Amino acid sequence: MYDYEFLKNKGFFKNFHEDNIEIEGKQISYLLDLNNALIYFEINIDDLNNLASKIVRAVTSLYQKIDFVWFKALEKNKIKIYSRNTEIKWFNYDEDKRSEIRKSKELLLNKISPNKIKGLFDLKGLENKFYNELWDVRLRIAKSINLPLDDASKLLVAQRFIDRTIFLYFLSGLNVVWITKEGGTTTVFGIKNLRDTLKWLNDNCKEDIFQFLNSIFFDILNVNKNDKFTKKTFEECGIKFEIKGPYLDGGLFREEQFGSYSERNIKLKGVEDLINLLNQYNWIVTENESGDNSDEETIGNLTPEILGHIYERFSVSFDSLGIKNLKEIKLDKLKESLKSGRKKIGSYYTPRPITNYMAKKAISLVLKNKIKMEGAPEVREFEELKNKNRNYIWVKQIITKNLYGVDIMSGAIEVAKLRMWLWLVSQLKENEEFEILPNL
């Protein structure tokens, strides 16, 4: 039981204060660990599910130095933990969930101490796990291509398919893709709906899932129509359904030629392994500071920033290894290639706290002066569009007019574009009109 006694045995609450806070007319008691910046709540399951985010907002506003909020359900061994100062904000555990997910989280929980509670939110272990798993799937898909293409092209074909699929998972969390099942209603093709649909296809129409995804990529997300959305009807395993999605400009979903073969005609095997892997994770474009948008049925949360780390490692390993023969690439060589490759091409991924500090220092003064300039073009534009989403306008201007760069590795440029598109789309509010993505 990961309750007060568990924490006490781990070294917490040697110096604590008991108090209560009012949330929606309810007096909810808590323990404040004065030494470890942690607040502990033991509440019923309904309040845990419905009030956790509101409690977090209240106590983090009341106690500016609190880093962690620990929730324990009264009825069962279920916990939610909020972290104020980490990229991933929530850690969930439920003893009733699937054994492989439960055991991985139990290992982390049993290692905590007052000095190691941040380990629950550590991205390194999650990043390494996903990196190795994705490399393995990537290689198996590339090796499955039975066409007269060189091995570098085979690996690129596999990677482009993986990139698109991952983007679709992120996109599904933004409520801009819709699905209508035969005889049913139209619903958002959200992350759970996407996972369930792809799992159903994997279980029932495994041989069709490759073409199904390619149809979404090329016939929906890459079709430019005046109404901005394209619909396509599918029939899989005797069931008809329609998917509607926006046109995504920029090249990610543009079908390319490899030799005399178009991408959709390069048959890939092992796609079911990719879907099984991606379904184990929760895909979050921006994690809500005050709300819990993680999924208890998944191993952990993946964000565009984590993906950036992973793709930087992919690029380095790819360049360092050199692709002469796919059969010669072994996963145990990747760590060694990563170290030498970074030195060779000068590739290091700068963590967010450092880039945030550098960016704020570099542009804050210029930005303040620009805003004060009466009649500045950007200010006039925002005044004219004051009824629209200002954050979206800011981000769109930044990525289209203020960011420039070059890179010797074309893959790195594509990853940068992917990250910019996700950043832009994440600014959309619920039910807000979706625009065509800018061509970066």
Side-chain angles (χ1 to χ4, degrees), residues 52-86:
S53 62
K54 294 180 180 179
I55 293 172
V56 164
R57 283 196 296 268
V59 297
T60 53
S61 176
L62 183 63
Y63 298 104
Q64 298 298 319
K65 294 185 177 180
I66 283 297
D67 292 331
F68 304 99
V69 184
W70 188 295
F71 296 96
K72 166 68 176 63
L74 288 167
E75 298 91 337
K76 59 186 296 189
N77 196 16
K78 177 178 180 176
I79 61 173
K80 291 177 180 283
I81 309 167
Y82 173 82
S83 172
R84 187 203 289 259
N85 296 315
T86 55

PDB file of all heavy atoms in Angstrom, residues 52-86:
ATOM      1  N   ALA A  52      -8.729  16.021  -8.178  1.00  0.00           N
ATOM      2  CA  ALA A  52      -7.277  16.069  -8.000  1.00  0.00           C
ATOM      3  C   ALA A  52      -6.664  17.326  -8.602  1.00  0.00           C
ATOM      4  O   ALA A  52      -5.835  17.999  -7.981  1.00  0.00           O
ATOM      5  CB  ALA A  52      -6.634  14.817  -8.611  1.00  0.00           C
ATOM      6  N   SER A  53      -7.062  17.676  -9.815  1.00  0.00           N
ATOM      7  CA  SER A  53      -6.481  18.842 -10.470  1.00  0.00           C
ATOM      8  C   SER A  53      -6.830  20.131  -9.745  1.00  0.00           C
ATOM      9  O   SER A  53      -6.002  21.046  -9.638  1.00  0.00           O
ATOM     10  CB  SER A  53      -6.919  18.915 -11.928  1.00  0.00           C
ATOM     11  OG  SER A  53      -8.321  19.062 -12.017  1.00  0.00           O
ATOM     12  N   LYS A  54      -8.053  20.224  -9.228  1.00  0.00           N
ATOM     13  CA  LYS A  54      -8.465  21.429  -8.485  1.00  0.00           C
ATOM     14  C   LYS A  54      -7.716  21.535  -7.156  1.00  0.00           C
ATOM     15  O   LYS A  54      -7.345  22.635  -6.728  1.00  0.00           O
ATOM     16  CB  LYS A  54      -9.976  21.405  -8.246  1.00  0.00           C
ATOM     17  CG  LYS A  54     -10.781  21.514  -9.533  1.00  0.00           C
ATOM     18  CD  LYS A  54     -12.270  21.492  -9.273  1.00  0.00           C
ATOM     19  CE  LYS A  54     -13.040  21.612 -10.592  1.00  0.00           C
ATOM     20  NZ  LYS A  54     -14.503  21.575 -10.383  1.00  0.00           N
ATOM     21  N   ILE A  55      -7.500  20.409  -6.529  1.00  0.00           N
ATOM     22  CA  ILE A  55      -6.729  20.414  -5.279  1.00  0.00           C
ATOM     23  C   ILE A  55      -5.298  20.871  -5.544  1.00  0.00           C
ATOM     24  O   ILE A  55      -4.728  21.665  -4.792  1.00  0.00           O
ATOM     25  CB  ILE A  55      -6.752  19.013  -4.634  1.00  0.00           C
ATOM     26  CG1 ILE A  55      -8.165  18.666  -4.172  1.00  0.00           C
ATOM     27  CG2 ILE A  55      -5.777  18.947  -3.461  1.00  0.00           C
ATOM     28  CD1 ILE A  55      -8.323  17.229  -3.689  1.00  0.00           C
ATOM     29  N   VAL A  56      -4.717  20.382  -6.638  1.00  0.00           N
ATOM     30  CA  VAL A  56      -3.350  20.777  -6.989  1.00  0.00           C
ATOM     31  C   VAL A  56      -3.259  22.283  -7.202  1.00  0.00           C
ATOM     32  O   VAL A  56      -2.343  22.949  -6.707  1.00  0.00           O
ATOM     33  CB  VAL A  56      -2.875  20.022  -8.253  1.00  0.00           C
ATOM     34  CG1 VAL A  56      -1.639  20.685  -8.849  1.00  0.00           C
ATOM     35  CG2 VAL A  56      -2.562  18.573  -7.907  1.00  0.00           C
ATOM     36  N   ARG A  57      -4.206  22.839  -7.951  1.00  0.00           N
ATOM     37  CA  ARG A  57      -4.193  24.283  -8.183  1.00  0.00           C
ATOM     38  C   ARG A  57      -4.250  25.053  -6.868  1.00  0.00           C
ATOM     39  O   ARG A  57      -3.557  26.056  -6.687  1.00  0.00           O
ATOM     40  CB  ARG A  57      -5.358  24.684  -9.083  1.00  0.00           C
ATOM     41  CG  ARG A  57      -5.140  24.374 -10.547  1.00  0.00           C
ATOM     42  CD  ARG A  57      -6.129  25.138 -11.421  1.00  0.00           C
ATOM     43  NE  ARG A  57      -7.503  24.734 -11.165  1.00  0.00           N
ATOM     44  CZ  ARG A  57      -8.131  23.785 -11.839  1.00  0.00           C
ATOM     45  NH1 ARG A  57      -7.506  23.114 -12.777  1.00  0.00           N
ATOM     46  NH2 ARG A  57      -9.384  23.486 -11.569  1.00  0.00           N
ATOM     47  N   ALA A  58      -5.092  24.565  -5.960  1.00  0.00           N
ATOM     48  CA  ALA A  58      -5.284  25.275  -4.692  1.00  0.00           C
ATOM     49  C   ALA A  58      -4.044  25.209  -3.810  1.00  0.00           C
ATOM     50  O   ALA A  58      -3.575  26.233  -3.297  1.00  0.00           O
ATOM     51  CB  ALA A  58      -6.496  24.694  -3.958  1.00  0.00           C
ATOM     52  N   VAL A  59      -3.476  24.014  -3.634  1.00  0.00           N
ATOM     53  CA  VAL A  59      -2.359  23.890  -2.686  1.00  0.00           C
ATOM     54  C   VAL A  59      -1.054  24.454  -3.251  1.00  0.00           C
ATOM     55  O   VAL A  59      -0.229  24.977  -2.496  1.00  0.00           O
ATOM     56  CB  VAL A  59      -2.167  22.422  -2.231  1.00  0.00           C
ATOM     57  CG1 VAL A  59      -3.389  21.938  -1.476  1.00  0.00           C
ATOM     58  CG2 VAL A  59      -1.835  21.511  -3.387  1.00  0.00           C
ATOM     59  N   THR A  60      -0.859  24.351  -4.560  1.00  0.00           N
ATOM     60  CA  THR A  60       0.364  24.929  -5.133  1.00  0.00           C
ATOM     61  C   THR A  60       0.302  26.451  -5.144  1.00  0.00           C
ATOM     62  O   THR A  60       1.331  27.131  -5.150  1.00  0.00           O
ATOM     63  CB  THR A  60       0.627  24.409  -6.554  1.00  0.00           C
ATOM     64  OG1 THR A  60      -0.542  24.602  -7.368  1.00  0.00           O
ATOM     65  CG2 THR A  60       0.996  22.937  -6.520  1.00  0.00           C
ATOM     66  N   SER A  61      -0.912  27.002  -5.150  1.00  0.00           N
ATOM     67  CA  SER A  61      -1.066  28.448  -5.015  1.00  0.00           C
ATOM     68  C   SER A  61      -0.844  28.877  -3.569  1.00  0.00           C
ATOM     69  O   SER A  61      -0.245  29.927  -3.299  1.00  0.00           O
ATOM     70  CB  SER A  61      -2.461  28.864  -5.476  1.00  0.00           C
ATOM     71  OG  SER A  61      -2.674  30.236  -5.265  1.00  0.00           O
ATOM     72  N   LEU A  62      -1.310  28.044  -2.636  1.00  0.00           N
ATOM     73  CA  LEU A  62      -1.166  28.342  -1.205  1.00  0.00           C
ATOM     74  C   LEU A  62       0.269  28.175  -0.724  1.00  0.00           C
ATOM     75  O   LEU A  62       0.780  28.984   0.062  1.00  0.00           O
ATOM     76  CB  LEU A  62      -2.095  27.425  -0.407  1.00  0.00           C
ATOM     77  CG  LEU A  62      -2.154  27.624   1.107  1.00  0.00           C
ATOM     78  CD1 LEU A  62      -2.688  29.001   1.460  1.00  0.00           C
ATOM     79  CD2 LEU A  62      -3.027  26.530   1.738  1.00  0.00           C
ATOM     80  N   TYR A  63       0.942  27.115  -1.199  1.00  0.00           N
ATOM     81  CA  TYR A  63       2.322  26.821  -0.794  1.00  0.00           C
ATOM     82  C   TYR A  63       3.232  26.914  -2.016  1.00  0.00           C
ATOM     83  O   TYR A  63       3.304  25.999  -2.832  1.00  0.00           O
ATOM     84  CB  TYR A  63       2.414  25.412  -0.203  1.00  0.00           C
ATOM     85  CG  TYR A  63       1.590  25.200   1.041  1.00  0.00           C
ATOM     86  CD1 TYR A  63       0.387  24.497   0.982  1.00  0.00           C
ATOM     87  CD2 TYR A  63       2.007  25.704   2.275  1.00  0.00           C
ATOM     88  CE1 TYR A  63      -0.378  24.288   2.118  1.00  0.00           C
ATOM     89  CE2 TYR A  63       1.242  25.500   3.419  1.00  0.00           C
ATOM     90  CZ  TYR A  63       0.051  24.792   3.328  1.00  0.00           C
ATOM     91  OH  TYR A  63      -0.707  24.593   4.461  1.00  0.00           O
ATOM     92  N   GLN A  64       3.933  28.012  -2.164  1.00  0.00           N
ATOM     93  CA  GLN A  64       4.756  28.252  -3.345  1.00  0.00           C
ATOM     94  C   GLN A  64       5.949  27.311  -3.442  1.00  0.00           C
ATOM     95  O   GLN A  64       6.491  27.095  -4.530  1.00  0.00           O
ATOM     96  CB  GLN A  64       5.240  29.707  -3.348  1.00  0.00           C
ATOM     97  CG  GLN A  64       4.117  30.728  -3.429  1.00  0.00           C
ATOM     98  CD  GLN A  64       3.314  30.613  -4.716  1.00  0.00           C
ATOM     99  OE1 GLN A  64       3.876  30.409  -5.790  1.00  0.00           O
ATOM    100  NE2 GLN A  64       1.995  30.715  -4.605  1.00  0.00           N
ATOM    101  N   LYS A  65       6.372  26.750  -2.329  1.00  0.00           N
ATOM    102  CA  LYS A  65       7.565  25.911  -2.332  1.00  0.00           C
ATOM    103  C   LYS A  65       7.252  24.416  -2.365  1.00  0.00           C
ATOM    104  O   LYS A  65       8.145  23.579  -2.258  1.00  0.00           O
ATOM    105  CB  LYS A  65       8.442  26.224  -1.118  1.00  0.00           C
ATOM    106  CG  LYS A  65       9.025  27.625  -1.159  1.00  0.00           C
ATOM    107  CD  LYS A  65       9.993  27.868  -0.008  1.00  0.00           C
ATOM    108  CE  LYS A  65      10.612  29.257  -0.105  1.00  0.00           C
ATOM    109  NZ  LYS A  65      11.568  29.509   1.007  1.00  0.00           N
ATOM    110  N   ILE A  66       5.988  24.073  -2.507  1.00  0.00           N
ATOM    111  CA  ILE A  66       5.611  22.659  -2.590  1.00  0.00           C
ATOM    112  C   ILE A  66       5.983  22.109  -3.964  1.00  0.00           C
ATOM    113  O   ILE A  66       5.675  22.695  -4.993  1.00  0.00           O
ATOM    114  CB  ILE A  66       4.106  22.484  -2.337  1.00  0.00           C
ATOM    115  CG1 ILE A  66       3.811  22.606  -0.853  1.00  0.00           C
ATOM    116  CG2 ILE A  66       3.610  21.139  -2.838  1.00  0.00           C
ATOM    117  CD1 ILE A  66       4.464  21.524  -0.002  1.00  0.00           C
ATOM    118  N   ASP A  67       6.665  20.962  -3.977  1.00  0.00           N
ATOM    119  CA  ASP A  67       7.077  20.330  -5.232  1.00  0.00           C
ATOM    120  C   ASP A  67       6.185  19.155  -5.624  1.00  0.00           C
ATOM    121  O   ASP A  67       5.994  18.887  -6.815  1.00  0.00           O
ATOM    122  CB  ASP A  67       8.526  19.825  -5.120  1.00  0.00           C
ATOM    123  CG  ASP A  67       9.521  20.955  -5.024  1.00  0.00           C
ATOM    124  OD1 ASP A  67       9.238  22.032  -5.570  1.00  0.00           O
ATOM    125  OD2 ASP A  67      10.580  20.765  -4.400  1.00  0.00           O
ATOM    126  N   PHE A  68       5.641  18.432  -4.623  1.00  0.00           N
ATOM    127  CA  PHE A  68       4.894  17.209  -4.924  1.00  0.00           C
ATOM    128  C   PHE A  68       3.577  17.168  -4.152  1.00  0.00           C
ATOM    129  O   PHE A  68       3.519  17.567  -2.991  1.00  0.00           O
ATOM    130  CB  PHE A  68       5.722  15.969  -4.562  1.00  0.00           C
ATOM    131  CG  PHE A  68       7.057  15.909  -5.230  1.00  0.00           C
ATOM    132  CD1 PHE A  68       8.207  16.293  -4.562  1.00  0.00           C
ATOM    133  CD2 PHE A  68       7.167  15.488  -6.553  1.00  0.00           C
ATOM    134  CE1 PHE A  68       9.447  16.251  -5.185  1.00  0.00           C
ATOM    135  CE2 PHE A  68       8.394  15.447  -7.180  1.00  0.00           C
ATOM    136  CZ  PHE A  68       9.535  15.833  -6.494  1.00  0.00           C
ATOM    137  N   VAL A  69       2.538  16.657  -4.827  1.00  0.00           N
ATOM    138  CA  VAL A  69       1.248  16.415  -4.185  1.00  0.00           C
ATOM    139  C   VAL A  69       0.906  14.945  -4.395  1.00  0.00           C
ATOM    140  O   VAL A  69       0.772  14.486  -5.537  1.00  0.00           O
ATOM    141  CB  VAL A  69       0.135  17.312  -4.767  1.00  0.00           C
ATOM    142  CG1 VAL A  69      -1.167  17.087  -4.002  1.00  0.00           C
ATOM    143  CG2 VAL A  69       0.534  18.786  -4.728  1.00  0.00           C
ATOM    144  N   TRP A  70       0.761  14.206  -3.291  1.00  0.00           N
ATOM    145  CA  TRP A  70       0.558  12.754  -3.320  1.00  0.00           C
ATOM    146  C   TRP A  70      -0.888  12.459  -2.933  1.00  0.00           C
ATOM    147  O   TRP A  70      -1.335  12.815  -1.854  1.00  0.00           O
ATOM    148  CB  TRP A  70       1.509  12.092  -2.341  1.00  0.00           C
ATOM    149  CG  TRP A  70       1.575  10.592  -2.381  1.00  0.00           C
ATOM    150  CD1 TRP A  70       0.584   9.710  -2.079  1.00  0.00           C
ATOM    151  CD2 TRP A  70       2.726   9.802  -2.710  1.00  0.00           C
ATOM    152  NE1 TRP A  70       1.032   8.416  -2.194  1.00  0.00           N
ATOM    153  CE2 TRP A  70       2.353   8.438  -2.585  1.00  0.00           C
ATOM    154  CE3 TRP A  70       4.033  10.103  -3.087  1.00  0.00           C
ATOM    155  CZ2 TRP A  70       3.229   7.393  -2.828  1.00  0.00           C
ATOM    156  CZ3 TRP A  70       4.914   9.061  -3.329  1.00  0.00           C
ATOM    157  CH2 TRP A  70       4.519   7.718  -3.208  1.00  0.00           C
ATOM    158  N   PHE A  71      -1.627  11.783  -3.833  1.00  0.00           N
ATOM    159  CA  PHE A  71      -3.016  11.406  -3.570  1.00  0.00           C
ATOM    160  C   PHE A  71      -3.104   9.897  -3.416  1.00  0.00           C
ATOM    161  O   PHE A  71      -2.585   9.151  -4.239  1.00  0.00           O
ATOM    162  CB  PHE A  71      -3.928  11.820  -4.724  1.00  0.00           C
ATOM    163  CG  PHE A  71      -4.034  13.295  -4.945  1.00  0.00           C
ATOM    164  CD1 PHE A  71      -3.231  13.920  -5.886  1.00  0.00           C
ATOM    165  CD2 PHE A  71      -4.943  14.055  -4.234  1.00  0.00           C
ATOM    166  CE1 PHE A  71      -3.337  15.279  -6.116  1.00  0.00           C
ATOM    167  CE2 PHE A  71      -5.067  15.422  -4.441  1.00  0.00           C
ATOM    168  CZ  PHE A  71      -4.251  16.038  -5.386  1.00  0.00           C
ATOM    169  N   LYS A  72      -3.804   9.450  -2.376  1.00  0.00           N
ATOM    170  CA  LYS A  72      -4.053   8.018  -2.162  1.00  0.00           C
ATOM    171  C   LYS A  72      -5.559   7.804  -2.037  1.00  0.00           C
ATOM    172  O   LYS A  72      -6.236   8.498  -1.280  1.00  0.00           O
ATOM    173  CB  LYS A  72      -3.345   7.546  -0.886  1.00  0.00           C
ATOM    174  CG  LYS A  72      -3.780   6.184  -0.349  1.00  0.00           C
ATOM    175  CD  LYS A  72      -3.365   5.063  -1.279  1.00  0.00           C
ATOM    176  CE  LYS A  72      -3.712   3.698  -0.705  1.00  0.00           C
ATOM    177  NZ  LYS A  72      -5.162   3.484  -0.520  1.00  0.00           N
ATOM    178  N   ALA A  73      -6.101   6.848  -2.807  1.00  0.00           N
ATOM    179  CA  ALA A  73      -7.525   6.525  -2.718  1.00  0.00           C
ATOM    180  C   ALA A  73      -7.807   5.748  -1.443  1.00  0.00           C
ATOM    181  O   ALA A  73      -7.021   4.875  -1.038  1.00  0.00           O
ATOM    182  CB  ALA A  73      -7.963   5.717  -3.927  1.00  0.00           C
ATOM    183  N   LEU A  74      -8.934   6.047  -0.798  1.00  0.00           N
ATOM    184  CA  LEU A  74      -9.297   5.357   0.437  1.00  0.00           C
ATOM    185  C   LEU A  74      -9.702   3.910   0.180  1.00  0.00           C
ATOM    186  O   LEU A  74      -9.393   3.016   0.971  1.00  0.00           O
ATOM    187  CB  LEU A  74     -10.462   6.086   1.122  1.00  0.00           C
ATOM    188  CG  LEU A  74     -10.132   7.434   1.773  1.00  0.00           C
ATOM    189  CD1 LEU A  74     -11.415   8.176   2.130  1.00  0.00           C
ATOM    190  CD2 LEU A  74      -9.279   7.218   3.021  1.00  0.00           C
ATOM    191  N   GLU A  75     -10.388   3.671  -0.949  1.00  0.00           N
ATOM    192  CA  GLU A  75     -10.997   2.363  -1.176  1.00  0.00           C
ATOM    193  C   GLU A  75     -10.049   1.319  -1.742  1.00  0.00           C
ATOM    194  O   GLU A  75     -10.319   0.122  -1.652  1.00  0.00           O
ATOM    195  CB  GLU A  75     -12.191   2.487  -2.139  1.00  0.00           C
ATOM    196  CG  GLU A  75     -13.316   3.368  -1.629  1.00  0.00           C
ATOM    197  CD  GLU A  75     -13.131   4.827  -2.065  1.00  0.00           C
ATOM    198  OE1 GLU A  75     -11.991   5.235  -2.348  1.00  0.00           O
ATOM    199  OE2 GLU A  75     -14.144   5.543  -2.115  1.00  0.00           O
ATOM    200  N   LYS A  76      -8.936   1.737  -2.348  1.00  0.00           N
ATOM    201  CA  LYS A  76      -8.063   0.784  -3.027  1.00  0.00           C
ATOM    202  C   LYS A  76      -6.653   1.339  -3.089  1.00  0.00           C
ATOM    203  O   LYS A  76      -6.403   2.497  -2.754  1.00  0.00           O
ATOM    204  CB  LYS A  76      -8.583   0.500  -4.440  1.00  0.00           C
ATOM    205  CG  LYS A  76      -8.689   1.751  -5.316  1.00  0.00           C
ATOM    206  CD  LYS A  76      -9.329   1.472  -6.665  1.00  0.00           C
ATOM    207  CE  LYS A  76      -8.528   0.549  -7.517  1.00  0.00           C
ATOM    208  NZ  LYS A  76      -9.021   0.435  -8.904  1.00  0.00           N
ATOM    209  N   ASN A  77      -5.735   0.492  -3.552  1.00  0.00           N
ATOM    210  CA  ASN A  77      -4.343   0.905  -3.667  1.00  0.00           C
ATOM    211  C   ASN A  77      -4.142   1.602  -5.017  1.00  0.00           C
ATOM    212  O   ASN A  77      -3.572   1.055  -5.953  1.00  0.00           O
ATOM    213  CB  ASN A  77      -3.416  -0.309  -3.540  1.00  0.00           C
ATOM    214  CG  ASN A  77      -1.979   0.119  -3.255  1.00  0.00           C
ATOM    215  OD1 ASN A  77      -1.718   1.249  -2.877  1.00  0.00           O
ATOM    216  ND2 ASN A  77      -1.057  -0.807  -3.426  1.00  0.00           N
ATOM    217  N   LYS A  78      -4.648   2.823  -5.091  1.00  0.00           N
ATOM    218  CA  LYS A  78      -4.522   3.656  -6.271  1.00  0.00           C
ATOM    219  C   LYS A  78      -3.982   5.010  -5.853  1.00  0.00           C
ATOM    220  O   LYS A  78      -4.465   5.607  -4.889  1.00  0.00           O
ATOM    221  CB  LYS A  78      -5.873   3.824  -6.965  1.00  0.00           C
ATOM    222  CG  LYS A  78      -5.831   4.753  -8.172  1.00  0.00           C
ATOM    223  CD  LYS A  78      -7.199   4.846  -8.856  1.00  0.00           C
ATOM    224  CE  LYS A  78      -7.133   5.777 -10.056  1.00  0.00           C
ATOM    225  NZ  LYS A  78      -8.409   5.831 -10.802  1.00  0.00           N
ATOM    226  N   ILE A  79      -2.959   5.490  -6.570  1.00  0.00           N
ATOM    227  CA  ILE A  79      -2.374   6.782  -6.225  1.00  0.00           C
ATOM    228  C   ILE A  79      -2.193   7.634  -7.478  1.00  0.00           C
ATOM    229  O   ILE A  79      -2.073   7.134  -8.587  1.00  0.00           O
ATOM    230  CB  ILE A  79      -1.004   6.634  -5.512  1.00  0.00           C
ATOM    231  CG1 ILE A  79       0.006   5.934  -6.420  1.00  0.00           C
ATOM    232  CG2 ILE A  79      -1.147   5.939  -4.184  1.00  0.00           C
ATOM    233  CD1 ILE A  79       1.422   5.906  -5.860  1.00  0.00           C
ATOM    234  N   LYS A  80      -2.195   8.933  -7.270  1.00  0.00           N
ATOM    235  CA  LYS A  80      -1.806   9.917  -8.269  1.00  0.00           C
ATOM    236  C   LYS A  80      -0.813  10.853  -7.596  1.00  0.00           C
ATOM    237  O   LYS A  80      -1.047  11.297  -6.473  1.00  0.00           O
ATOM    238  CB  LYS A  80      -3.016  10.721  -8.762  1.00  0.00           C
ATOM    239  CG  LYS A  80      -4.035   9.975  -9.596  1.00  0.00           C
ATOM    240  CD  LYS A  80      -5.200  10.902  -9.946  1.00  0.00           C
ATOM    241  CE  LYS A  80      -6.257  10.193 -10.780  1.00  0.00           C
ATOM    242  NZ  LYS A  80      -5.858  10.052 -12.178  1.00  0.00           N
ATOM    243  N   ILE A  81       0.264  11.138  -8.289  1.00  0.00           N
ATOM    244  CA  ILE A  81       1.288  12.032  -7.735  1.00  0.00           C
ATOM    245  C   ILE A  81       1.544  13.147  -8.744  1.00  0.00           C
ATOM    246  O   ILE A  81       1.792  12.882  -9.922  1.00  0.00           O
ATOM    247  CB  ILE A  81       2.594  11.287  -7.441  1.00  0.00           C
ATOM    248  CG1 ILE A  81       2.325  10.037  -6.607  1.00  0.00           C
ATOM    249  CG2 ILE A  81       3.592  12.193  -6.706  1.00  0.00           C
ATOM    250  CD1 ILE A  81       3.494   9.086  -6.521  1.00  0.00           C
ATOM    251  N   TYR A  82       1.484  14.374  -8.251  1.00  0.00           N
ATOM    252  CA  TYR A  82       1.745  15.540  -9.092  1.00  0.00           C
ATOM    253  C   TYR A  82       3.114  16.114  -8.759  1.00  0.00           C
ATOM    254  O   TYR A  82       3.495  16.229  -7.593  1.00  0.00           O
ATOM    255  CB  TYR A  82       0.675  16.611  -8.854  1.00  0.00           C
ATOM    256  CG  TYR A  82       0.964  17.920  -9.550  1.00  0.00           C
ATOM    257  CD1 TYR A  82       0.649  18.102 -10.886  1.00  0.00           C
ATOM    258  CD2 TYR A  82       1.556  18.977  -8.863  1.00  0.00           C
ATOM    259  CE1 TYR A  82       0.912  19.305 -11.535  1.00  0.00           C
ATOM    260  CE2 TYR A  82       1.835  20.181  -9.499  1.00  0.00           C
ATOM    261  CZ  TYR A  82       1.505  20.342 -10.828  1.00  0.00           C
ATOM    262  OH  TYR A  82       1.777  21.521 -11.462  1.00  0.00           O
ATOM    263  N   SER A  83       3.858  16.490  -9.797  1.00  0.00           N
ATOM    264  CA  SER A  83       5.169  17.114  -9.631  1.00  0.00           C
ATOM    265  C   SER A  83       5.155  18.492 -10.283  1.00  0.00           C
ATOM    266  O   SER A  83       4.855  18.621 -11.465  1.00  0.00           O
ATOM    267  CB  SER A  83       6.258  16.244 -10.266  1.00  0.00           C
ATOM    268  OG  SER A  83       7.497  16.927 -10.281  1.00  0.00           O
ATOM    269  N   ARG A  84       5.501  19.504  -9.524  1.00  0.00           N
ATOM    270  CA  ARG A  84       5.437  20.871 -10.036  1.00  0.00           C
ATOM    271  C   ARG A  84       6.563  21.190 -11.010  1.00  0.00           C
ATOM    272  O   ARG A  84       6.368  21.899 -12.001  1.00  0.00           O
ATOM    273  CB  ARG A  84       5.502  21.865  -8.863  1.00  0.00           C
ATOM    274  CG  ARG A  84       5.280  23.325  -9.282  1.00  0.00           C
ATOM    275  CD  ARG A  84       5.891  24.298  -8.266  1.00  0.00           C
ATOM    276  NE  ARG A  84       5.175  24.332  -7.030  1.00  0.00           N
ATOM    277  CZ  ARG A  84       4.293  25.286  -6.677  1.00  0.00           C
ATOM    278  NH1 ARG A  84       4.021  26.252  -7.522  1.00  0.00           N
ATOM    279  NH2 ARG A  84       3.710  25.252  -5.506  1.00  0.00           N
ATOM    280  N   ASN A  85       7.760  20.679 -10.770  1.00  0.00           N
ATOM    281  CA  ASN A  85       8.954  21.159 -11.468  1.00  0.00           C
ATOM    282  C   ASN A  85       9.584  20.158 -12.431  1.00  0.00           C
ATOM    283  O   ASN A  85      10.778  20.207 -12.697  1.00  0.00           O
ATOM    284  CB  ASN A  85      10.006  21.609 -10.436  1.00  0.00           C
ATOM    285  CG  ASN A  85       9.517  22.785  -9.614  1.00  0.00           C
ATOM    286  OD1 ASN A  85       8.969  23.740 -10.152  1.00  0.00           O
ATOM    287  ND2 ASN A  85       9.702  22.699  -8.304  1.00  0.00           N
ATOM    288  N   THR A  86       8.785  19.243 -12.949  1.00  0.00           N
ATOM    289  CA  THR A  86       9.298  18.312 -13.949  1.00  0.00           C
ATOM    290  C   THR A  86       8.456  18.434 -15.210  1.00  0.00           C
ATOM    291  O   THR A  86       7.329  18.934 -15.173  1.00  0.00           O
ATOM    292  CB  THR A  86       9.246  16.854 -13.436  1.00  0.00           C
ATOM    293  OG1 THR A  86       7.907  16.552 -13.026  1.00  0.00           O
ATOM    294  CG2 THR A  86      10.193  16.653 -12.274  1.00  0.00           C
TER     295      THR A  86
END
